[in-house]
Amino acid sequence: MIHAVYPGSFDPVTFGHLDIIQRGAKIFDKVTVAVLINPNKNPLFTVEERVELIREAIKGIPHVEVDSFHGLLIDYMRLKQANTIIKGLRAVSDFEYELQMASINRKLDDDIETFFMMTNNTYSYLSSSIVKEVARHHGSVSDLVPQFVEEALKEKFNTKK
């Protein structure tokens, strides 16, 4: 069985993330979307909120689960008995960073592979940071995230006024 992990901050989950999840679910026997708990970042949504938003977004996608982790991805991979890391690539700049990450992960455990997926061209410009910036200024993000994520963003930014 090929168990893949799709790690990230997902702050918030976007249609670009969901595209990678849906496509990954067609390729791998099991996909775990793993929300990284990074104490060095100041996320808009709590880990619990991000996990819940992703769970809502993946309803109906078979053999996909959501979890969270902290520390090294490789340690999490071993804990979950997963053997493949999924990474979405939007641009050359993503590739340079992700190649570095894949190389160190490979050095830490050469039994774990990294699987790069090119983003759908529709979402090649899309990032969680862009979504938050548009939403912060009350722009429409309806074509970037699911409706319930848009509502969660509005709630966050209306309470932060």
Side-chain angles (χ1 to χ4, degrees):
M1 177 173 93
I2 300 177
H3 178 187
V5 171
Y6 180 31
S9 58
F10 305 103
D11 185 39
V13 65
T14 69
F15 284 141
H17 295 129
L18 294 173
D19 176 60
I20 297 293
I21 294 166
Q22 289 169 336
R23 291 167 48 210
K26 292 177 185 174
I27 297 167
F28 301 106
D29 300 308
K30 180 179 180 182
V31 174
T32 300
V33 180
V35 178
L36 173 62
I37 302 167
N38 185 344
N40 298 325
K41 286 195 172 184
N42 186 20
L44 179 63
F45 292 97
T46 67
V47 171
E48 295 78 17
E49 288 170 328
R50 288 180 274 159
V51 166
E52 220 26 66
L53 288 171
I54 297 167
R55 281 195 178 126
E56 180 68 23
I58 64 163
K59 280 183 179 173
I61 305 175
H63 50 267
V64 177
E65 65 180 21
V66 185
D67 196 9
S68 62
F69 76 102
H70 65 279
L72 290 176
L73 175 58
I74 290 299
D75 292 338
Y76 179 76
M77 299 287 293
R78 290 177 185 139
L79 178 71
K80 296 297 278 188
Q81 298 180 335
N83 46 16
T84 304
I85 300 166
I86 300 173
K87 296 304 290 193
L89 300 176
R90 294 170 296 197
V92 172
S93 57
D94 283 350
F95 178 76
E96 290 171 2
Y97 174 77
E98 295 301 347
L99 178 62
Q100 222 178 359
M101 292 293 98
S103 296
I104 192 64
N105 286 334
R106 185 84 175 169
K107 182 177 181 348
L108 294 171
D109 190 330
D110 64 0
D111 289 330
I112 295 175
E113 295 290 341
T114 300
F115 187 86
F116 294 113
M117 295 181 79
M118 295 307 299
T119 259
N120 181 318
N121 285 340
T122 305
Y123 308 117
S124 62
Y125 65 91
L126 185 55
S127 70
S128 294
S129 298
I130 287 173
V131 167
K132 288 185 287 194
E133 190 62 22
V134 172
R136 178 178 289 113
H137 296 287
H138 308 291
S140 174
V141 294
S142 61
D143 56 343
L144 309 176
V145 297
Q147 182 180 356
F148 55 88
V149 174
E150 181 178 23
E151 289 166 11
L153 285 161
K154 285 178 183 174
E155 188 176 309
K156 285 284 182 183
F157 289 120
N158 284 335
T159 59
K160 287 193 169 203
K161 279 185 177 179

